[in-house]
Amino acid sequence: MQALSGKLFLSGMDENAASLARKWGLGLELTDFCEARKLEEPAAMQAARARCSGIGSLWLHAPFAELSPCAIDPRVREVVMLRFRQTVQAALALGIRRIVVHSGYIPLVYFPEWFTARSVEFWREFLRDAPDGLCLALENVMEPGPDMLVQIAAGVDDPRFGLCLDVGHANTRVSETPPLDWIAPMAPWLRHVHLHNNDGDWDLHDALGQGMIPMPDILAALAEQCPAADYTIENQNCEPSLRWLCARGYLEEP
């Protein structure tokens, strides 16, 4: 069993995540800029800075609504490039160098071949101007399996670019691959993991012990195959998941 102290973050989707992170000595995945418009609001930056205060380990979740790196319209791609460059600048201003980005894949809209090829082009262009030491982790959302993301990571072939496995997304109706079977293909590029549970249908972001995903098996496989990856609990209320981890020896109570 892998102890998660030093590797565990709490998502800002829980309004109490920052205070819980300070109490438990955990990291924070900042979600203040999930809406792209907030990248241009000084008040949002001030609020984010206050939220990060006293927390030593941070990820930032990039905006995602309507932002598809594989967009067909070149003008849309220009907006996506602008927003992600603004995201990097916001992250650096907060002292954050690790960023989760959604892949932007939409079934029945993007052909897989188009999606992978255009995504590789986008991220290679983006990384030309990105600073050294940056870590981008591309997250699965509506992909049927890991293959397309693996092809993108291999095609980009940059140490600053990796993958984020969202275990809950891998267990919704759009996934054709059981969550455990996502791990091995993604392992060489896996930097980060989002943990939440559901009933196999909708993306409910339930607590780790509430749903049909076999979390002990998932955590064991990740510890064996991706020992350097770290984790974010993505719940509206993270405390039940923290208690679940404590009860099973993954974490100690503060």
Side-chain angles (χ1 to χ4, degrees):
M1 181 183 297
Q2 180 187 30
L4 297 183
S5 57
K7 299 173 69 68
L8 190 63
F9 296 72
L10 303 180
S11 170
M13 68 188 300
D14 180 347
E15 62 181 14
N16 297 311
S19 58
L20 277 174
R22 294 185 192 99
K23 175 182 176 181
W24 286 72
L26 303 175
L28 175 69
E29 185 170 322
L30 196 70
T31 58
D32 292 50
F33 302 104
C34 283
E35 293 183 44
R37 63 180 177 82
K38 292 188 176 181
L39 291 164
E40 297 175 347
E41 296 177 1
M45 176 59 74
Q46 293 171 6
R49 199 180 301 279
R51 216 178 312 280
C52 294
S53 178
I55 300 173
S57 193
L58 299 161
W59 278 82
L60 186 147
H61 198 302
F64 52 86
E66 294 98 35
L67 299 180
S68 294
C70 61
I72 296 166
D73 188 329
R75 292 293 189 187
V76 173
R77 286 168 62 85
E78 289 177 8
V79 172
V80 179
M81 187 70 71
L82 168 66
R83 288 309 196 189
F84 286 157
R85 284 177 172 158
Q86 289 177 318
T87 299
V88 170
Q89 292 307 310
L92 294 177
L94 294 165
I96 304 173
R97 304 186 78 84
R98 295 176 290 185
I99 302 172
V100 173
V101 290
H102 281 192
S103 70
Y105 179 72
I106 304 174
L108 306 180
V109 173
Y110 299 120
F111 292 111
E113 295 81 1
W114 171 277
F115 169 69
T116 54
R118 296 293 280 176
S119 295
V120 169
E121 290 176 13
F122 178 93
W123 291 114
R124 282 180 174 172
E125 179 182 349
F126 180 85
L127 287 166
R128 288 191 199 115
D129 300 324
D132 293 336
L134 188 71
C135 176
L136 296 178
L138 188 69
E139 177 187 348
N140 61 296
V141 182
M142 290 193 285
E143 289 80 2
D147 293 350
M148 290 185 291
L149 296 182
V150 168
Q151 292 168 19
I152 292 169
V156 173
D157 190 24
D158 190 297
R160 296 168 293 179
F161 190 86
L163 298 177
C164 170
L165 170 59
D166 189 297
V167 175
H169 294 165
N171 194 56
T172 60
R173 62 170 60 189
V174 297
S175 175
E176 300 170 3
T177 308
L180 271 170
D181 293 339
W182 285 70
I183 296 171
M186 295 178 74
W189 297 277
L190 200 61
R191 304 288 183 268
H192 196 50
V193 180
H194 284 167
L195 296 174
H196 50 101
N197 214 324
N198 59 57
D199 60 6
D201 192 8
W202 293 100
D203 181 23
L204 300 175
H205 285 266
D206 283 337
L208 301 189
Q210 181 184 344
M212 60 180 290
I213 300 174
M215 282 296 169
D217 295 340
I218 292 286
L219 292 170
L222 288 165
E224 179 183 355
Q225 299 177 50
C226 318
D230 49 31
Y231 307 82
T232 289
I233 296 174
E234 273 200 333
N235 303 145
Q236 296 286 350
N237 177 7
C238 293
E239 194 147 14
S241 290
L242 291 172
R243 301 294 178 191
W244 185 92
L245 290 170
C246 287
R248 285 153 185 81
Y250 295 101
L251 198 64
E252 292 186 4
E253 291 200 36

